[in-house]
Amino acid sequence: TIYDQFVEEAARRFNAVKVGMPWEPDTQMGAQINEHQVKKILEYIEIAKQEGARVACGGERATEGDLAKGCFMKPTLLGDVDNHMRVAQEEIFGPVACVIKFHDEDEVIAMANDSAYGLGGAVWTRDINRAIRVSRHIETGRMWVNTYNAIPEGAPFGGYKSSGIGRE
């Protein structure tokens, strides 16, 4: 029920991300690793559009000023994605997020687990009981609540399925 409002607000925030040179103190997102990776990301965005997804923001190179000389992408948000699209099932390794509609916990858990991968996941909620319930049912190596990718030094690591290099 909040899908449209969520996508609109997420796109606004994605558009506010400062893409820039890594030595600039206000940079929030730097370059991709190389030109090959930029082309791969752009190919996935085209595949998403061909499969019916909508680019809510981004979807192209960042070419303002000196960024035109490098491998910079605008943060990209894809809407109208369903869980069977390639962008929802394959690892893009770029600044691309997909928003998929769901109606209840069981549906979102089934979608999250309907993947060949399971390295990490996150749940955002105000309800701690929901966070614990959903986290316990997602097949993933690491699960965050209301954050993402905060990894304490020395913590065990590993993924499920085709993700990672085993479990520690």
Side-chain angles (χ1 to χ4, degrees):
T1 58
I2 65 167
Y3 178 85
D4 293 329
Q5 178 184 351
F6 178 86
V7 170
E8 181 180 321
E9 179 64 17
R12 185 186 69 76
R13 292 181 186 215
F14 273 45
N15 284 328
V17 170
K18 170 67 167 68
V19 179
M21 301 301 177
W23 54 83
E24 295 174 354
D26 60 338
T27 292
Q28 295 174 291
M29 189 177 89
Q32 301 306 298
I33 190 70
N34 58 32
E35 186 65 27
H36 175 76
Q37 186 60 26
V38 171
K39 288 179 180 175
K40 178 182 174 189
I41 295 164
L42 290 169
E43 286 172 9
Y44 268 107
I45 293 166
E46 286 306 311
I47 290 166
K49 291 192 293 189
Q50 291 169 7
E51 292 183 340
R54 173 180 55 87
V55 177
C57 69
E60 60 190 11
R61 296 180 83 115
T63 58
E64 299 78 26
D66 286 338
L67 301 183
K69 300 174 189 174
C71 299
F72 294 90
M73 285 290 305
K74 292 182 179 180
T76 300
L77 184 66
L78 299 175
D80 300 332
V81 174
D82 73 47
N83 204 44
H84 298 96
M85 292 180 178
R86 285 183 61 189
V87 290
Q89 290 294 321
E90 297 178 14
E91 296 177 318
I92 300 171
F93 292 110
V96 178
C98 302
V99 184
I100 304 173
K101 290 181 183 181
F102 65 93
H103 295 285
D104 58 36
E105 284 180 29
D106 291 337
E107 183 181 6
V108 78
I109 289 167
M111 279 193 292
N113 290 334
D114 182 23
S115 171
Y117 304 103
L119 188 58
V123 59
W124 274 264
T125 180
R126 293 183 183 130
D127 182 340
I128 189 63
N129 292 315
R130 172 174 281 165
I132 292 168
R133 195 169 50 244
V134 170
S135 296
R136 287 184 173 162
H137 289 92
I138 302 291
E139 298 164 355
T140 190
R142 185 177 306 271
M143 192 70 173
W144 290 275
V145 175
N146 296 337
T147 190
Y148 189 77
N149 214 23
I151 303 173
E153 186 176 329
F157 182 77
Y160 279 69
K161 306 175 194 177
S162 296
S163 288
I165 54 172
R167 297 193 58 75
E168 214 180 80

